[in-house]
Amino acid sequence: NAVLFAGNTFSLYNNTSTVITITQNSDVLIRFTGTTQTGNRFLTSYGLATIICVDANSFIISGAGLY
């Protein structure tokens, strides 16, 4: 497991023709940017998601092809 700090940012690119699931673990919060929605997200084929660490267990996610 990687240790991430506030401000750390990384991107995920789905280089496949199938949807992939980005899973929120029980001790982590992933918030969909600009909404109150939390939880798992799905990244469509050839979609791009950016994830930013807000604090030790809290992240925001945004991107093209993300739902």
Side-chain angles (χ1 to χ4, degrees), residues 3-53:
V3 176
L4 298 173
F5 299 96
N8 287 157
T9 303
F10 57 97
S11 295
L12 301 171
Y13 175 64
N14 182 2
N15 193 30
T16 71
S17 60
T18 59
V19 174
I20 60 170
T21 304
I22 301 167
T23 305
Q24 174 182 283
N25 286 340
S26 60
D27 60 343
V28 172
L29 177 74
I30 298 176
R31 184 175 308 281
F32 198 27
T33 304
T35 73
T36 59
Q37 298 174 18
T38 61
N40 296 346
R41 294 285 129 214
F42 303 94
L43 189 58
T44 60
S45 350
Y46 310 105
L48 179 67
T50 299
I51 301 171
I52 301 171
C53 181

